[in-house]
Amino acid sequence: MSEELAGGDLSRLRQLNAVAVLRELRGTQPLTLTELSKRTGLSRASTEDVARDLLGRGWLAEVAPAAGTVGRPARRYRFNSGAGRLLGVDVGGHKILALVTDLDGEVVHQSRVEVPADAGRRERLAAVDRCVAEALDGTAQIWATGVATTGLVDGTGKVMLSDSLPEWSGVDLGAHVQRLVPGAVRVENDCKLAALAETWRGVARYAKDVVFLLAGLRTGAGLIIDGKLHRGFANWSGEIGALPAAGWQRAPQHLHAWLSKNPAAGGFERVFVAARAGDHGARKAVEKYVKDLAIGASALVLTLDPQLVVIGGGFSRSADVMVEPLRRELERWCLRTPEIRVSAFADEGVALGAVRLALDAVEAAITDGLRP
Amino acid sequence: MSEELAGGDLSRLRQLNAVAVLRELRGTQPLTLTELSKRTGLSRASTEDVARDLLGRGWLAEVAPAAGTVGRPARRYRFNSGAGRLLGVDVGGHKILALVTDLDGEVVHQSRVEVPADAGRRERLAAVDRCVAEALDGTAQIWATGVATTGLVDGTGKVMLSDSLPEWSGVDLGAHVQRLVPGAVRVENDCKLAALAETWRGVARYAKDVVFLLAGLRTGAGLIIDGKLHRGFANWSGEIGALPAAGWQRAPQHLHAWLSKNPAAGGFERVFVAARAGDHGARKAVEKYVKDLAIGASALVLTLDPQLVVIGGGFSRSADVMVEPLRRELERWCLRTPEIRVSAFADEGVALGAVRLALDAVEAAITDGLRP
């Protein structure tokens, strides 16, 4: 049958083989042709053919044989993660955070610009410009860029609706960032990207179905279903917080109430600090917050039956006073309570998710024809 | 590179090509080799090779050339849907329904056995036996069987939890049905299978993300995500009704209340009939029912952002008094209200979904090596 393979079949097969080889070499140790052939299931000859091709295109690099090799040393190959750079930008309420990474997602440079929560569109976009310029630091090698923003984002990179940032609804964030960098620019909702970051490099790496909860001044959700970010028909998934019965609109009010009864300097953390120290009122406030958070969270869990719930966002730093009460509430409502994990990212999870989005664009280019 | 293709690569490719050809021939008109080659993207020679192979294995049949063909008539092939039979069984609260179909899912025989709602395990299983025996009518060609049941089902075909049927929790339904038929037996929750039926042969054929609502004495949900039935980590998805805040536990009580205040012969339909006739109390009861149904439905829609919501189950026959109020309620809570459609199946949707489950088993066998 091999003689019967038409040109189209062959080049498609060749491409799939190339993607298979690249996949095996991403983020692992260098591999010999024998090891690559074993892992991809391709024949030794096909593997050699693909490796030669990818080496010529700059996707792979050859590395020195392993030390202490006896006999004729086998050539080893690694993914050339330094061939290009990715940019991930988190346009947050209080800060802009930009990460420049290699093609494996390893951060090589970052910058942060503080921005007031009440900053309007122009001021926030100017902060984006400064932050990106500082992060790039003259680098012209950016292959693709991911941008995270609060609010609902359409397929063209426009913010359709933002409740929390002033003048942000309608901003064409994709077009704005595209003026700053070469390569593809993709824009996505921050909760969705935080969820993506957890399955990529965070605590959800092993799980295929994940509910990510952003617990902070805002409450939000990002869903990983069958290993992929679930976007929905118009990219409006995860918005259960819009339903009053889900409890998320009421949840932070309990914390607000305690804070206004106990005025002092400092942010929301004060409630958790006081609760941790045993303050009865603060404990009650956190308990009520968690009870309301758990209603919407249980709705997500009962709907999707995920393997894992990940808690991220500002309040996840107070996981020690929050996770056990949350588990008890979930156990009260859910038929099967999934494992609960706390995000291990400080506050760069969203920006890392934006990097992953940029990497998706590069990988799509690989699959579409190996022309980054 | 074709000389470099190893045996393993080739046989895998051959199998994928075979699946591609079968897929194109399923449920369509007979096709010539030229047409098949065009649709699959395979070379003419590969297509001929695959067709010859599948003909030999009984999967394809040759049909007479099209009438009025000028010149040498091209051979045409069709999927040989008569090569085997599928069985789908709906083990419902009030009835057992069994469908015997060809490999395209066309019903060739069916049987129904009424069973009292309060029947215990032994009585219900005996009804399954009678119904299946009647449906098979001596047929020994069953390639695979799907079974639908209320309750949560585990991966081995056991019912783990059933609220609505007495003595049903713990029944090993898969093992029971396996004694009646040859071939694979798969068991699944009825709401999930009803959702599957809608995307396969029902009103959701065009949609990739679907929320199916079973509206009846019980309220339930089945989710189609990215074109596939979403099961969840332990197969417990779609159970949002377990959350009191979702309103589904309270919903039918409004109808019950009207019925007990207006005693007469007949079932639940009486409320809808009276509402349709303009009875104020009945209208109010239906309105309250829909309001509660819409809370859980909105939670599902906001979570998943589906393209389509399908209403099935017993009450869907009263769609004329239910769908417009439901749409208004969804519009009240959802950021984007999806299209709402009413199931076009009478009460065979669940059994058809069970047939689809059986077909999945056959298709898995195709992909695994063309040995049904």
Side-chain angles (χ1 to χ4, degrees):
Chain A
M1 184 158 134
S2 53
E3 301 85 343
E4 294 179 10
L5 279 166
D9 296 349
L10 246 187
S11 95
R12 178 76 190 138
L13 184 67
R14 198 174 186 132
Q15 209 162 288
L16 289 174
N17 290 350
V19 171
V21 165
L22 282 174
R23 208 164 273 157
E24 287 305 323
L25 284 173
R26 287 279 306 286
T28 67
Q29 297 297 314
L31 297 173
T32 64
L33 286 176
T34 310
E35 288 161 343
L36 265 176
S37 161
K38 201 171 154 193
R39 288 181 184 221
T40 55
L42 297 175
S43 70
R44 164 78 191 208
S46 292
T47 309
E48 191 165 358
D49 187 70
V50 167
R52 196 184 311 120
D53 184 43
L54 290 171
L55 203 61
R57 290 161 187 260
W59 286 93
L60 298 190
E62 219 176 310
V63 292
T69 312
V70 179
R72 179 169 155 253
R75 277 178 294 180
R76 292 186 308 157
Y77 298 89
R78 65 171 174 83
F79 177 66
N80 184 15
S81 61
R85 292 280 181 263
L86 304 170
L87 174 65
V89 187
D90 171 12
V91 184
H94 300 269
K95 66 158 197 301
I96 317 292
L97 176 62
L99 304 178
V100 174
T101 75
D102 67 15
L103 297 181
D104 281 338
E106 291 298 326
V107 177
V108 295
H109 200 68
Q110 62 175 287
S111 71
R112 172 191 296 259
V113 169
E114 304 298 324
V115 62
D118 59 354
R121 183 189 294 200
R122 186 176 298 199
E123 190 180 349
R124 198 171 300 274
L125 288 176
V128 169
D129 293 355
R130 281 204 309 285
C131 188
V132 167
E134 201 180 306
L136 293 185
D137 194 25
T139 302
Q141 284 173 299
I142 300 294
W143 279 11
T145 298
V147 185
T149 173
T150 179
L152 292 164
V153 178
D154 74 4
T156 71
K158 212 176 264 181
V159 178
M160 299 182 71
L161 185 71
S162 166
D163 283 340
S164 55
L165 297 186
E167 302 175 57
W168 204 240
S169 294
V171 65
D172 193 345
L173 194 53
H176 182 86
V177 173
Q178 187 68 79
R179 293 184 299 115
L180 310 175
V181 286
V185 173
R186 294 188 179 185
V187 185
E188 187 52 276
N189 168 271
D190 51 4
C191 289
K192 291 190 174 71
L193 291 182
L196 202 57
E198 296 297 342
T199 53
W200 182 39
R201 310 207 128 207
V203 297
R205 264 172 290 185
Y206 70 96
K208 279 180 71 184
D209 291 307
V210 181
V211 165
F212 173 84
L213 293 180
L214 182 101
L217 291 172
R218 291 179 298 130
T219 311
L223 311 173
I224 304 292
I225 298 179
D226 208 13
K228 286 194 306 185
L229 178 62
H230 178 71
R231 291 186 156 91
F233 186 60
N235 205 20
W236 291 29
S237 65
E239 296 292 334
I240 193 170
L243 187 71
W248 290 3
Q249 289 164 17
R250 193 178 47 220
Q253 293 171 13
H254 305 299
L255 306 178
H256 275 296
W258 185 88
L259 287 162
S260 60
K261 268 190 273 176
N262 297 270
F268 258 86
E269 293 76 26
R270 285 200 300 120
V271 197
F272 297 105
V273 170
R276 195 177 292 119
D279 180 287
H280 181 72
R283 277 182 172 256
K284 276 284 162 202
V286 170
E287 196 179 289
K288 284 180 185 169
Y289 165 76
V290 167
K291 269 183 192 294
D292 279 336
L293 179 68
I295 297 173
S298 296
L300 295 174
V301 167
L302 284 163
T303 298
L304 295 169
D305 187 25
Q307 182 172 7
L308 178 67
V309 170
V310 177
I311 314 290
F315 297 175
S316 64
R317 274 166 277 171
S318 304
D320 58 324
V321 290
M322 229 180 74
V323 169
E324 275 316 310
L326 181 64
R327 192 190 315 276
R328 280 197 298 274
E329 287 297 309
L330 289 183
E331 268 164 13
R332 185 174 163 199
W333 302 124
C334 297
L335 297 174
R336 191 189 70 79
T337 306
E339 189 186 359
I340 302 174
R341 290 193 174 196
V342 178
S343 174
F345 298 128
D347 70 349
E348 77 283 16
V350 172
L352 262 180
V355 169
R356 177 65 247 190
L357 193 66
L359 194 47
D360 285 348
V362 171
E363 292 189 340
I366 292 177
T367 318
D368 286 353
L370 293 174
R371 275 179 298 268
Chain B
M1 182 158 138
S2 53
E3 302 84 345
E4 294 179 10
L5 279 165
D9 296 348
L10 245 186
S11 94
R12 178 76 191 140
L13 184 68
R14 197 173 186 131
Q15 209 161 287
L16 290 174
N17 290 349
V19 172
V21 165
L22 281 174
R23 207 163 275 157
E24 287 306 322
L25 283 173
R26 286 281 304 287
T28 66
Q29 298 297 315
L31 298 173
T32 65
L33 285 177
T34 310
E35 288 161 343
L36 265 176
S37 162
K38 201 170 154 193
R39 289 181 183 220
T40 56
L42 298 173
S43 70
R44 164 79 191 208
S46 292
T47 309
E48 191 165 358
D49 189 71
V50 167
R52 195 185 312 120
D53 185 44
L54 289 171
L55 203 60
R57 290 160 187 261
W59 287 93
L60 299 191
E62 220 177 309
V63 292
T69 311
V70 179
R72 180 169 155 250
R75 277 178 295 179
R76 292 185 309 156
Y77 298 90
R78 67 172 173 81
F79 177 67
N80 183 15
S81 61
R85 293 279 182 264
L86 304 169
L87 173 65
V89 187
D90 171 12
V91 185
H94 301 268
K95 66 158 197 302
I96 317 291
L97 176 62
L99 304 179
V100 174
T101 74
D102 67 15
L103 297 180
D104 281 338
E106 290 299 326
V107 177
V108 294
H109 200 68
Q110 62 176 288
S111 70
R112 171 190 297 257
V113 170
E114 304 298 325
V115 62
D118 60 355
R121 182 189 295 201
R122 186 176 299 199
E123 190 180 349
R124 197 172 299 274
L125 287 176
V128 169
D129 293 355
R130 281 205 308 284
C131 188
V132 167
E134 200 181 307
L136 293 186
D137 194 25
T139 301
Q141 284 174 300
I142 300 293
W143 279 11
T145 298
V147 185
T149 172
T150 178
L152 291 164
V153 178
D154 74 4
T156 71
K158 212 176 263 179
V159 179
M160 300 181 71
L161 185 70
S162 165
D163 284 340
S164 56
L165 297 187
E167 302 174 59
W168 204 239
S169 295
V171 65
D172 193 345
L173 195 53
H176 182 86
V177 174
Q178 187 67 79
R179 292 184 301 113
L180 310 175
V181 286
V185 173
R186 294 188 179 184
V187 185
E188 187 53 274
N189 168 271
D190 51 4
C191 290
K192 290 189 174 72
L193 291 181
L196 203 57
E198 296 297 341
T199 54
W200 181 39
R201 310 208 129 207
V203 296
R205 264 171 291 185
Y206 70 98
K208 279 179 72 184
D209 292 308
V210 181
V211 166
F212 173 85
L213 293 180
L214 182 102
L217 291 171
R218 291 180 299 130
T219 311
L223 311 174
I224 304 292
I225 298 179
D226 208 13
K228 286 193 307 185
L229 179 62
H230 178 73
R231 291 186 155 92
F233 185 61
N235 204 20
W236 291 30
S237 66
E239 295 292 335
I240 192 169
L243 188 71
W248 289 4
Q249 289 164 16
R250 193 178 47 221
Q253 293 171 13
H254 304 298
L255 307 179
H256 275 297
W258 185 89
L259 287 162
S260 61
K261 266 189 274 176
N262 298 270
F268 258 86
E269 293 75 24
R270 285 201 300 122
V271 197
F272 297 104
V273 170
R276 194 177 292 117
D279 179 287
H280 182 72
R283 276 182 173 256
K284 276 284 162 202
V286 170
E287 196 178 290
K288 284 180 185 170
Y289 165 76
V290 167
K291 269 183 193 293
D292 279 336
L293 179 69
I295 296 174
S298 296
L300 295 174
V301 167
L302 284 163
T303 298
L304 295 169
D305 186 24
Q307 183 173 4
L308 178 66
V309 171
V310 176
I311 314 291
F315 296 175
S316 64
R317 275 166 275 170
S318 304
D320 58 322
V321 289
M322 229 181 72
V323 168
E324 275 316 310
L326 181 64
R327 193 189 316 276
R328 280 197 298 275
E329 287 297 309
L330 288 183
E331 267 163 14
R332 184 173 164 201
W333 302 124
C334 298
L335 297 174
R336 191 189 69 79
T337 304
E339 190 185 359
I340 302 174
R341 291 193 175 196
V342 179
S343 174
F345 298 128
D347 70 350
E348 78 283 15
V350 172
L352 261 181
V355 169
R356 177 65 248 190
L357 193 65
L359 194 47
D360 285 348
V362 171
E363 291 189 343
I366 293 176
T367 318
D368 286 354
L370 293 173
R371 276 180 297 268

